[in-house]
């Protein structure tokens, strides 16, 4: 191997096409491009011009590997077109969770297409259809013409297309050999009787990558079991009364969602594209173009090898013969490395290139000293040593992931690179508590900094044993979050990237997730010692590296003064939890179900025809064929009418049935997502819901919450707000208090832009939306109409999110010219806001990031993208991120200060919930006046703006009343 590029022998090629086995390879372009890019992500290949050539290099090697080893007679590479596709028309949130393509990868795609062209291979792309659909269509047409078809992709969705002549060529992954999957393997993998049932399994299972919800509570195993038994989704509903409990309830309640999922996961095999074998026949590559292209890309060794391999005498490549030189072996799965049809994605030589570029140290080849500390005397000796340190790193090993319920199995500490100490704890809680008491002085010493990865969890585990973690904190996960907010922050990734080290996977100890997975309690402490010691050791080493980066990027103050103190605040809030009144939820659930039934009957009566209101297909037919509400209604690529919320909202004035349909859908979502789900999340021991706050998820700096997501309870509609009635104080001695910043983002915009008109309106304590309407319309405040104020309010909030005239026209349901006039009037009224927005975009273009008032950075890699849609999204983030991020920082500061004041005054009242700009408290009634004063003072003085920060506060017997 020279210069990291493989050397191979001259390949043998198939002979004349007329006599060859008809073997078609269809390559899923972007699946292979992404795999190639991320194979080199830790050590990307960058040429002298600064171009990241990882994806081009990996893809070229993949293509060459296929041609040399698999010897296709026909081949094509199929690309996804830019969205939208027909699936987006049916479901606007299809693939909504997927991050945008990295800029350096996007820059590689034209070169990859050039490589494909130089190999004289067809690149295929059909607008409106994904590569899956095009591959599916070509595969089925080729099958009819006697071809063996191999779909080269790792995507499980392709299993539905499998037949005796169509197989999946699944690339090597995680050290496993490639697989060629036929009907037998697909049916075995999915627990089904024929491959088409893959569609039904996936529809129930859902797909988080594509944002397809499926049926809640079913999952992979449940979906396979149901389809294995009943054969299809339709047959499940025929036998729905055979099922019981929550599964039956979910299948009934989410029927329309499941039907939609089935539509989305079904690969279209009737795309309007001809299968032309002559165009897809393998041809001799254009050596001159390939060589020139490889010189530009600086693939020197690859260029030399291609010249040698492919520039063989033409007669040796395509001799006329009565039989092919290569006689393929029978298709099989889990092919061994020696099999003639070996399907390695990259080939052995290429694989070694990738492995060498990702070579990491590991616990097996790194000198380390991980000590076991068992008895009281040894723990005391370790504690005494910790008490003399300025900082130490620690990590807990537990029985589960839910901190409130998990028990501690062991604890590791490190304060020197490559050295750690592990303390195993017995199952007996009393004995464990006694051992932890020996460690208490070190953990509760306020002078010693505690280092960890995801410290909140470890702090909560120790709180379960009444051990407080005091003193400064240093969380490596959050340090990396500030440095690269859009990235992942797990320890394995950080160890790879910063230490070139591969950590020991926990699955090596306890096994893969499933019924046979072990608990840490089941393991020999000696085994756990190595894993736990490594976690503490690696985290300790990462601290110094990450700290230097924080300092270099002026993020240390934000890290030390906001993010670190917030950890203890959130840990305490999660432990406190929030009480729910299950009886009121049951009553509300009954009311919603009655309303849903009533609405369904009204809709059917209005339609004058019996149909399934929850079926988008049937609803579309009723609205547009039967009632003819919109003669110009457009069909999707599947010939089905779109009945999305956006479509129906635009038509709401044309027929009263539409308002009922929208209300019906909203109530069903409310019932299924919140009302019937929340009671099951109440902790049996505490009688409360304990949501988990995520500090390292939102790139803007906002907190999010999961299990359940209490920040996403719908509050725009009256029925949605009623969910808040079920959140109540701890008992009769307490009251619910809600404190909410008034228009904090607009106040921040006024401060950061320095716009005199907006500043003056806030300083005069005017209603900002009325003041805006008066300025835009050039009239006195007292003459502003309700409609004017509504339009101004939408503009106020929309413009700081970078809304366009088209977006504003859609939101207000007004012509685009009126929306444009409204935006023009807005910027004329607040000229410095426009200047501020433009300057933010320019800063992002020059520096690659924008900043909040407190220095939090939002990196915008796509700000200079050639794609106007991608670039526009980055520009909107450049405008909004500093404002939204500053609001997030301000409320975090307020939370820290309020928490400290409540603790300092030893008050019983507790902060229990944060929802964007709102804080909620469980207040002990005798403390109400004092707590109100603390909250108002700390929230309104969290930072000094040119305009005042104003807090609205309310109390009540539940969250609804308080807010």
């Amino acid at each position: 191997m020279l210069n990291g590029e493989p050397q191979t022998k001259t390949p043998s090629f198939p002979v004349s096409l007329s006599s060859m086995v008809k073997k078609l390879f269809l390559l899923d372009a972007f699946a292979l491009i992404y795999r190639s890019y991320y194979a080199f992500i830790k050590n990307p290949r960058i040429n002298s011009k600064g171009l990241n050539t990882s994806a081009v290099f990996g893809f070229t090697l993949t293509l060459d590997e296929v041609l040399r080893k698999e010897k296709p007679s026909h081949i094509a590479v199929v690309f996804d077109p830019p969205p939208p596709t027909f699936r987006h028309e049916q479901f606007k949130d299809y693939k909504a969770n997927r991050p945008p393509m990295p800029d350096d990868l996007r820059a590689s795609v034209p070169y990859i297409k050039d490589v494909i062209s130089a190999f004289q291979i067809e690149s295929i792309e059909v607008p409106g259809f994904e590569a899956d659909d095009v591959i599916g269509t070509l595969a089925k047409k080729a099958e009819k013409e006697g071809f063996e078809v191999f779909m080269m992709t790792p995507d499980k969705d392709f299993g539905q297309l499998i037949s005796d002549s169509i197989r999946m060529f699944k690339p090597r992954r995680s050290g496993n050999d490639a697989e060629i999957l036929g009907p037998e393997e697909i049916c075995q993998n999915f627990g089904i009787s024929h491959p088409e049932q893959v569609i039904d399994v996936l529809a129930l299972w859902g797909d988080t990558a594509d944002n397809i919800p499926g049926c809640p509570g079913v999952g992979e195993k449940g979906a396979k079991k149901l389809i294995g038994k009943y054969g299809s989704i339709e047959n499940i509903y025929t036998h729905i009364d055979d099922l019981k409990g929550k599964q039956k309830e979910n299948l009934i309640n989410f029927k329309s969602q499941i039907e939609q999922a089935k539509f989305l996961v079904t690969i279209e095999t009737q795309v309007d594209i001809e299968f032309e074998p002559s165009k897809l026949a393998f041809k001799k590559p254009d050596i001159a173009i390939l060589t020139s292209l490889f010189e530009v890309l600086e693939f020197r060794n690859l260029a030399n090898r291609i010249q040698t391999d492919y520039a063989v005498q033409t007669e040796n490549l395509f001799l006329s013969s009565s039989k092919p030189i290569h006689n393929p072996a029978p298709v099989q799965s889990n092919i061994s490395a020696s099999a003639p049809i070996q399907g390695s994605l990259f080939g052995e030589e290429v694989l070694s290139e990738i492995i060498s570029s990702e070579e990491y140290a590991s616990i097996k080849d790194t000198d380390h000293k991980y000590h076991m500390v068992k008895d009281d005397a040894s723990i005391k000796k370790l504690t005494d040593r910790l008490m003399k340190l300025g900082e130490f790193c620690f990590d807990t090993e537990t029985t589960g992931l839910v901190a409130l319920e998990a028990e501690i199995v062991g604890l590791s500490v490190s304060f020197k690179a490559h050295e750690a100490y592990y303390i195993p704890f017995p199952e007996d809680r009393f004995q464990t508590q006694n051992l932890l008491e020996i460690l208490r002085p070190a953990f509760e010493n306020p002078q010693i900094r505690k280092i960890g990865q995801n410290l909140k969890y470890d702090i909560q585990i120790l709180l379960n044993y009444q051990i407080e973690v005091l003193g400064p904190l240093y969380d490596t996960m959050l340090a990396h979050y500030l440095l690269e907010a859009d990235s992942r922050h797990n320890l394995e990734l950080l160890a790879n990237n910063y230490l070139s080290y591969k950590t020991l996977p926990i699955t090596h100890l306890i096994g893969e997730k499933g019924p046979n997975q072990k608990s840490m309690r089941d393991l020999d402490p000696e085994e756990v010692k190595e894993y736990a010691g490594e976690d503490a050791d690696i985290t300790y080493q990462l601290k110094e590296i990450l700290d230097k980066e924080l300092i270099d990027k002026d993020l240390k103050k934000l890290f030390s003064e906001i993010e670190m103190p917030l950890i203890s605040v959130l840990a305490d809030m999660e432990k406190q939890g929030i009480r729910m009144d299950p009886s009121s939820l049951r009553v509300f659930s009954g009311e919603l179900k009655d309303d849903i039934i009533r609405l369904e009957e009204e809709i059917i009566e209005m339609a004058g025809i019996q149909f399934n209101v929850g079926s988008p297909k049937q609803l579309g037919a009723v609205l547009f064929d039967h009632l003819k509400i919109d003669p110009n209604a457009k069909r999707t690529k599947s010939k089905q009418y779109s009945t999305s919320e956006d479509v129906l909202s635009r038509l709401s004035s044309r027929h009263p049935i539409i308002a009922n349909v929208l209300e019906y859908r909203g109530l069903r979502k409310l019932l299924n997502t919140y009302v019937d789900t929340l009671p099951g999340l109440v902790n049996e021991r505490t009688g409360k819901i304990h949501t988990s706050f995520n500090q390292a998820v939102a790139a803007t700096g906002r907190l999010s919450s999961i299990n359940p997501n209490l920040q996403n309870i719908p509050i725009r509609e009256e029925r949605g707000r009623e969910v808040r009635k079920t959140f109540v104080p701890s008992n009769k001695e307490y009251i619910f208090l809600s404190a909410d910043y008034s228009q904090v983002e607009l106040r921040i915009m006024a401060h950061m832009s320095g716009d005199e008109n907006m500043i003056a309106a806030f300083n005069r304590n005017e209603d900002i939306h009325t003041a805006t309407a008066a300025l835009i319309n050039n009239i006195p405040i007292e003459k502003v109409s309700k409609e004017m104020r509504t339009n101004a309010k939408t503009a106020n909030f929309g413009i700081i999110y970078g809304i366009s005239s088209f977006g504003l026209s859609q939101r207000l349901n007004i012509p685009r010219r009126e929306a444009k006039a409204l935006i023009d009037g807005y910027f004329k009224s607040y000229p410095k806001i426009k200047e501020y927005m433009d300057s933010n975009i320019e800063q992002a273009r020059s520096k690659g990031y924008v900043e909040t008032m407190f220095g939090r950075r939002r990196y915008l890699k796509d700000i200079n993208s050639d794609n106007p849609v991608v670039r526009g999204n980055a520009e909107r983030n450049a405008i909004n991120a500093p404002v939204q991020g500053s609001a997030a920082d301000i409320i975090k500061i307020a939370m820290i200060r309020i928490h400290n004041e409540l603790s300092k005054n030893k008050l019983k009242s507790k902060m229990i919930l944060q929802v964007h700009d709102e804080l909620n408290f469980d207040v002990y009634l005798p403390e109400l006046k004092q707590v109100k004063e603390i909250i108002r003072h700390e929230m309104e003085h969290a930072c000094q703006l040119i305009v005042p920060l104003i807090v609205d506060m309310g109390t009540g017997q539940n969250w609804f009343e308080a807010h």
Side-chain angles (χ1 to χ4, degrees):
M1 183 180 294
L2 299 175
N3 297 332
E5 295 178 9
Q7 308 300 305
T8 60
K9 297 178 182 178
T10 302
S12 61
F13 283 87
V15 294
S16 65
L17 298 178
S18 61
S19 62
M20 289 172 56
V21 173
K22 296 197 291 187
K23 183 177 178 182
L24 170 64
F25 262 72
L26 297 170
L27 279 60
D28 185 353
F30 279 113
L32 300 176
I33 289 169
Y34 269 96
R35 286 171 66 87
S36 300
Y37 176 76
Y38 284 105
F40 296 94
I41 196 67
K42 311 301 188 305
N43 293 287
R45 296 176 61 96
I46 309 294
N47 70 7
S48 63
K49 302 176 185 66
L51 176 68
N52 184 333
T53 60
S54 302
V56 192
F57 184 64
F59 184 89
T60 303
L61 294 172
T62 304
L63 186 58
D64 177 53
E65 174 77 1
V66 169
L67 297 176
R68 288 189 298 104
K69 293 291 182 74
E70 308 309 328
K71 303 176 178 62
S73 65
H74 297 71
I75 187 169
V77 182
V78 185
F79 285 82
D80 290 306
T85 66
F86 72 92
R87 290 182 179 84
H88 293 91
E89 294 177 13
Q90 170 66 23
F91 181 46
K92 67 176 182 179
D93 291 330
Y94 179 62
K95 294 190 176 181
N97 295 336
R98 289 201 177 184
M101 182 185 292
D103 273 348
D104 53 353
L105 177 55
R106 184 179 297 106
S108 300
V109 174
Y111 290 98
I112 291 170
K113 289 186 175 181
D114 287 343
V115 168
I116 296 167
S117 177
F119 269 99
Q120 300 207 64
I121 293 171
E122 283 288 305
S123 290
I124 302 174
E125 179 180 305
V126 180
F129 293 91
E130 294 177 72
D132 306 31
D133 306 305
V134 178
I135 290 174
T137 300
L138 292 174
K140 292 297 182 183
K141 290 185 176 182
E143 179 183 36
K144 292 179 180 178
E145 297 194 24
F147 278 79
E148 274 190 292
V149 183
F150 297 87
M151 304 177 294
M152 189 169 177
T153 177
D155 191 344
K156 63 181 180 295
D157 293 25
F158 282 84
Q160 64 189 267
L161 302 171
I162 298 301
S163 70
D164 290 337
S165 301
I166 301 173
R167 296 170 175 83
M168 279 181 68
F169 189 97
K170 194 172 182 181
R172 176 188 293 236
R173 187 175 182 86
S174 303
N176 297 317
D177 287 334
E179 295 177 280
I180 294 181
L181 305 179
E184 183 179 345
E185 291 77 23
I186 290 296
C187 290
Q188 184 178 347
N189 290 349
F190 282 87
I192 52 181
S193 57
H194 56 87
E196 287 183 2
Q197 291 173 311
V198 168
I199 297 170
D200 297 82
V201 173
L202 295 177
L204 290 174
W205 179 358
D207 190 333
T208 54
D210 288 347
N211 198 34
I212 300 173
C215 182
V218 172
E220 176 183 357
K221 289 185 178 179
K224 290 178 178 178
K225 186 176 180 181
L226 284 168
I227 300 304
K229 181 175 181 180
Y230 293 104
S232 69
I233 287 172
E234 291 73 17
N235 202 36
I236 290 172
Y237 285 104
T238 301
H239 298 85
I240 195 69
D241 290 333
D242 294 351
L243 303 176
K244 297 178 182 179
K246 194 68 176 177
Q247 186 180 71
K248 176 181 179 180
E249 187 178 336
N250 283 345
L251 284 165
I252 293 171
N253 290 336
F254 291 94
K255 186 177 180 182
S256 61
Q257 181 171 292
I258 295 165
E259 289 171 345
Q260 183 180 59
K262 185 167 183 176
F263 168 80
L264 294 172
V265 301
T266 301
I267 293 176
E268 176 62 68
T269 58
Q270 299 297 321
V271 177
D272 186 15
I273 181 172
E274 293 299 319
F275 173 59
E276 301 177 81
S278 60
K279 284 189 176 182
L280 307 189
F282 176 78
K283 306 173 185 69
K284 179 185 175 183
D286 191 318
I287 305 300
I289 294 178
L290 270 180
T291 302
S292 175
L293 187 57
F294 289 168
E295 285 176 0
V296 171
L297 294 165
E298 299 174 11
F299 298 165
R300 296 178 182 88
N301 284 348
L302 187 56
N304 293 335
R305 202 202 69 206
I306 290 290
Q307 288 181 23
T308 303
D309 286 357
Y310 290 94
V312 183
Q313 295 294 328
T314 303
E315 58 268 25
N316 291 336
L317 282 169
F318 298 103
L319 290 172
S320 296
S321 176
S322 60
K323 62 179 181 179
I325 294 172
H326 175 66
N327 186 20
V331 172
Q332 55 182 302
S333 63
N334 297 314
I335 302 169
S336 67
S338 59
I341 196 169
Q342 161 63 18
S344 165
L345 176 58
F346 294 105
E348 291 177 5
E349 302 89 356
V350 179
L351 189 61
S352 66
E353 155 70 15
I354 293 173
I355 290 172
S356 67
S357 74
E358 292 188 320
E359 216 166 49
Y360 301 123
S362 70
I363 198 168
K364 294 178 181 179
D365 51 31
T366 301
D367 289 336
H368 63 279
K369 295 179 181 178
Y370 297 160
H371 311 280
M372 184 78 78
V373 183
K374 285 186 174 180
D375 57 84
D376 293 16
S378 299
I379 297 174
K380 177 66 168 63
K381 186 177 179 180
L382 176 61
T383 302
D384 291 341
R385 192 169 179 187
L386 295 176
M387 290 291 286
K388 297 174 183 177
L389 300 173
E391 63 182 22
F392 65 83
C393 179
F394 81 99
D395 182 61
T396 60
E397 303 305 329
T398 65
T399 56
L401 298 176
V402 180
L404 194 70
E405 300 170 359
E407 296 177 0
I408 192 167
V409 173
L411 184 147
S412 56
V413 296
S414 178
F415 43 85
K416 183 180 179 182
H418 309 300
E419 189 169 355
Y421 299 81
Y422 178 66
I423 306 167
F425 294 108
E427 194 165 349
D428 183 272
R429 189 177 180 90
F430 179 75
Q431 294 179 33
T432 294
Q433 189 71 56
N434 287 340
L435 293 176
L436 284 169
E437 287 300 322
I438 303 173
L439 289 162
R440 183 187 293 274
F443 281 98
E444 296 192 348
N445 188 324
Q447 305 304 316
I448 303 173
R449 178 183 287 106
K450 316 304 187 299
I451 304 164
Q453 167 81 5
N454 190 15
L455 267 173
K456 175 160 67 74
Y457 177 83
D458 299 303
I459 288 171
Q460 289 172 317
I461 292 298
L462 292 181
L463 278 174
N464 291 343
Y465 296 86
Q466 293 77 52
I467 304 291
E468 287 191 83
V469 178
L470 303 179
L473 302 177
Y474 198 104
D475 192 324
T476 49
M477 179 183 76
L478 294 176
H480 189 253
Y481 166 66
L482 288 187
L483 293 167
E484 297 184 31
D486 289 306
S487 179
R488 294 180 295 122
H489 318 290
N490 59 70
L491 187 62
E492 180 184 6
L493 179 75
L494 300 186
N496 291 172
N497 288 358
Y498 290 96
L499 299 172
S500 296
Y501 185 94
K502 186 171 180 61
T503 54
L504 182 67
I506 192 170
T507 52
H508 283 202
L509 276 75
I510 63 175
E512 298 291 342
K513 188 176 181 181
N516 297 322
Q517 189 178 55
K518 298 178 183 177
S519 163
M520 279 293 194
R521 283 247 188 255
D522 302 326
L523 303 177
D524 186 324
E526 281 291 336
E527 286 185 272
V528 182
K529 177 197 72 175
E530 293 295 288
Y531 172 82
E534 182 186 64
D535 275 2
D537 172 24
I538 294 302
T539 302
Y540 180 75
Q541 293 182 52
L542 285 168
K543 183 257 180 179
E544 291 302 320
I545 300 171
L546 294 170
D547 205 46
K548 185 178 184 303
E549 281 204 33
L550 289 176
I551 293 168
D552 290 345
K553 294 184 177 180
D554 294 324
L555 292 166
K556 188 62 185 289
K557 185 175 182 182
L558 173 67
F559 177 76
S560 301
E561 296 185 7
I562 297 181
E563 296 297 347
M564 289 305 96
L566 188 66
I567 293 173
S568 299
V569 178
L570 297 178
D572 189 55
M573 289 170 64
E574 290 180 15
K575 184 182 179 185
Q576 291 301 320
I578 180 169
R579 185 168 295 280
M580 290 197 66
D581 179 6
S583 61
S584 64
L585 263 181
R586 284 193 293 270
V587 171
F588 189 32
S589 175
E591 292 174 356
L592 284 178
K593 288 173 182 174
D594 289 343
D595 287 346
I596 288 168
I597 292 170
R598 173 184 55 79
L599 282 166
E600 191 170 26
E601 291 172 350
E602 288 180 7
I603 291 167
I604 291 171
E605 185 178 349
M606 286 179 175
I609 185 174
Q610 192 73 31
F611 73 104
N612 179 1
V613 180
S615 166
K617 183 177 181 179
Q618 293 185 35
L619 177 65
V622 168
L623 296 181
F624 304 121
D625 287 337
H626 179 66
L627 295 177
K628 302 187 185 304
I629 289 175
D630 182 8
N632 299 315
K634 294 183 179 179
R635 294 179 184 267
T636 64
K637 298 289 183 182
S638 64
K639 311 303 181 185
Q640 182 176 319
Y641 290 114
S642 173
T643 59
S644 67
E645 184 176 348
D646 288 343
V647 169
L648 296 186
S649 295
R650 289 197 296 271
L651 300 172
S652 59
S653 61
R654 299 195 182 184
H655 198 291
I657 194 174
I658 294 179
N660 279 14
V661 169
L662 289 171
E663 186 181 358
Y664 167 84
R665 286 181 174 179
L667 294 187
R668 283 193 61 173
K669 180 179 179 181
L670 185 64
L671 178 70
N672 297 329
T673 308
Y674 297 102
V675 178
D676 284 353
T677 302
L678 287 173
L681 298 173
V682 174
N683 184 281
E684 291 183 7
R685 182 170 58 83
T686 66
K688 295 181 178 182
I689 278 184
H690 299 265
T691 188
S692 179
F693 292 98
N694 295 318
Q695 206 174 338
V697 171
T700 58
R702 279 190 180 274
L703 295 173
S704 63
S705 76
I706 56 171
N707 300 325
N709 180 359
L710 295 181
Q711 300 192 332
N712 208 29
I713 293 175
I715 58 173
R716 291 183 181 178
E717 302 297 330
E718 182 181 348
R719 302 308 299 273
R721 288 193 293 272
E722 287 187 38
V723 176
R724 292 188 168 196
K725 290 180 180 178
T726 64
F727 293 88
V728 296
S730 288
N731 55 51
K732 292 180 180 179
E733 295 182 329
Y734 285 75
I735 193 167
F736 208 104
L737 186 150
S738 180
D740 196 359
Y741 276 119
S742 171
Q743 299 162 346
V744 64
E745 290 188 357
L746 289 174
R747 293 173 190 272
I748 290 169
M749 176 62 87
H751 173 84
M752 296 182 81
S753 68
D755 188 272
E756 291 87 351
N757 288 339
M758 187 171 277
I759 290 169
F762 277 123
N763 285 336
R764 288 194 299 265
N765 200 29
E766 293 175 351
D767 175 78
I768 191 62
H769 306 311
T770 304
T772 299
L775 284 170
I776 291 174
N777 294 283
N778 196 26
I779 58 174
I781 280 182
E782 57 272 13
K783 291 191 176 181
V784 171
S785 67
K786 185 178 180 180
E787 182 183 7
M788 288 178 183
R789 184 186 182 279
T790 298
N791 289 352
K793 181 178 180 179
T794 304
N796 267 327
F797 289 117
I799 285 170
I800 65 172
Y801 280 86
I803 198 169
S804 64
S805 56
F806 174 76
L808 189 61
S809 70
Q810 293 288 99
R811 195 171 295 182
L812 292 174
N813 198 23
I814 59 175
R816 194 182 300 187
R817 65 178 181 277
E818 289 185 25
K820 184 179 183 303
L822 185 58
I823 291 175
D824 290 343
Y826 186 93
F827 286 138
K828 185 177 180 181
S829 303
Y830 300 127
K832 286 195 176 178
I833 288 181
K834 183 67 168 70
E835 292 175 17
Y836 168 76
M837 292 165 65
D838 291 342
S839 69
N840 268 16
I841 293 171
E842 286 307 310
Q843 178 189 329
R845 285 181 179 147
S846 61
K847 293 185 177 181
Y849 62 85
V850 289
E851 293 178 295
T852 69
M853 293 166 52
F854 303 90
R856 183 185 302 276
R857 292 184 180 183
R858 177 74 191 274
Y859 287 91
L860 300 165
K861 297 177 182 178
D862 294 323
I863 194 67
N864 294 309
S865 172
D866 292 333
N867 184 319
V869 175
V870 173
R871 185 178 64 250
N873 185 58
E875 289 173 352
R876 286 188 290 276
N877 283 330
I879 294 166
N880 177 249
V883 176
Q884 192 177 116
S886 294
D889 292 336
I890 287 171
I891 201 162
K892 286 178 178 179
I893 293 169
M895 291 170 71
I896 294 163
R897 293 180 180 177
I898 292 169
H899 180 267
N900 290 344
E901 284 297 308
L902 296 179
S903 299
K904 185 176 73 176
N905 289 281
K906 294 182 171 54
L907 299 178
K908 293 183 179 181
S909 303
K910 298 291 182 181
M911 182 162 51
I912 54 174
L913 185 61
Q914 186 262 11
V915 181
H916 304 314
D917 306 326
E918 172 190 353
L919 296 178
N920 295 284
F921 300 83
D922 192 26
V923 180
Y924 184 50
L925 281 166
E927 299 170 354
L928 180 59
K929 181 180 178 183
Q930 182 182 5
V931 170
K932 275 187 169 183
E933 290 172 355
I934 290 172
I935 293 169
R936 187 175 299 281
H937 181 269
E938 299 303 344
M939 288 185 74
E940 293 187 348
H941 294 84
C943 76
Q944 190 65 45
L945 299 182
I946 298 173
V947 298
L949 279 172
I950 302 296
V951 172
D952 297 323
M953 219 179 298
T955 58
Q957 291 307 307
N958 56 57
W959 188 6
F960 181 88
E961 288 183 10
H963 196 264

